[in-house]
Amino acid sequence: MSTAASTVDPDTIAQAGDSPETIRDKVLYTLYHTVPGIELEDVLELRVLIDPPTNEDSHSRQAQAVLTAVQEEVETWPDPPTIHTPPSAYE
């Protein structure tokens, strides 16, 4: 397994029809499998800390909201992992 950080693209994580809870879980699952430094215990903690996104109108925006919340949370960690994301089309 490579130690280089992979890019996490919220547009490819979630699908139309996914519930907000499913989208949150898919984002966390993807981070666990692609970002070095995120362990299972971290994913379980983040799942409790991050609410499912209900205020966005599309699945990719919901995934982006979860990803942003995760990035803000891990910035407070003593040795935060690097999460690479492509430029957002919504900014």
Side-chain angles (χ1 to χ4, degrees), residues 31-51:
L31 291 172
Y32 174 65
H33 286 284
T34 59
V35 178
I38 293 187
E39 303 296 330
L40 181 58
E41 294 81 18
D42 301 328
V43 169
L44 296 174
E45 180 179 344
L46 289 167
R47 190 172 190 276
V48 171
L49 293 174
I50 296 174
D51 293 326

Side-chain angles (χ1 to χ4, degrees), residues 11-47:
D11 290 333
T12 62
I13 293 172
Q15 298 175 353
D18 285 346
S19 71
E21 292 82 6
T22 299
I23 290 172
R24 178 198 55 204
D25 292 347
K26 283 183 171 183
V27 170
L28 294 175
Y29 177 85
T30 301
L31 291 172
Y32 174 65
H33 286 284
T34 59
V35 178
I38 293 187
E39 303 296 330
L40 181 58
E41 294 81 18
D42 301 328
V43 169
L44 296 174
E45 180 179 344
L46 289 167
R47 190 172 190 276

Side-chain angles (χ1 to χ4, degrees), residues 6-12 64 67 71 83-89 91:
S6 299
T7 299
V8 179
D9 186 355
D11 290 333
T12 62
Q64 182 62 52
L67 194 52
Q71 288 174 311
I83 301 172
H84 296 284
T85 57
S88 174
E91 292 179 356

Side-chain angles (χ1 to χ4, degrees), residues 38 46 49-50 67-83:
I38 293 187
L46 289 167
L49 293 174
I50 296 174
L67 194 52
T68 299
V70 168
Q71 288 174 311
E72 290 171 356
E73 184 62 38
V74 300
E75 285 175 1
T76 66
W77 294 1
D79 186 20
T82 301
I83 301 172

Side-chain angles (χ1 to χ4, degrees), residues 49-72:
L49 293 174
I50 296 174
D51 293 326
T54 56
N55 59 342
E56 298 294 342
D57 59 355
S58 74
H59 63 280
S60 59
R61 286 186 182 184
Q62 289 179 348
Q64 182 62 52
V66 171
L67 194 52
T68 299
V70 168
Q71 288 174 311
E72 290 171 356

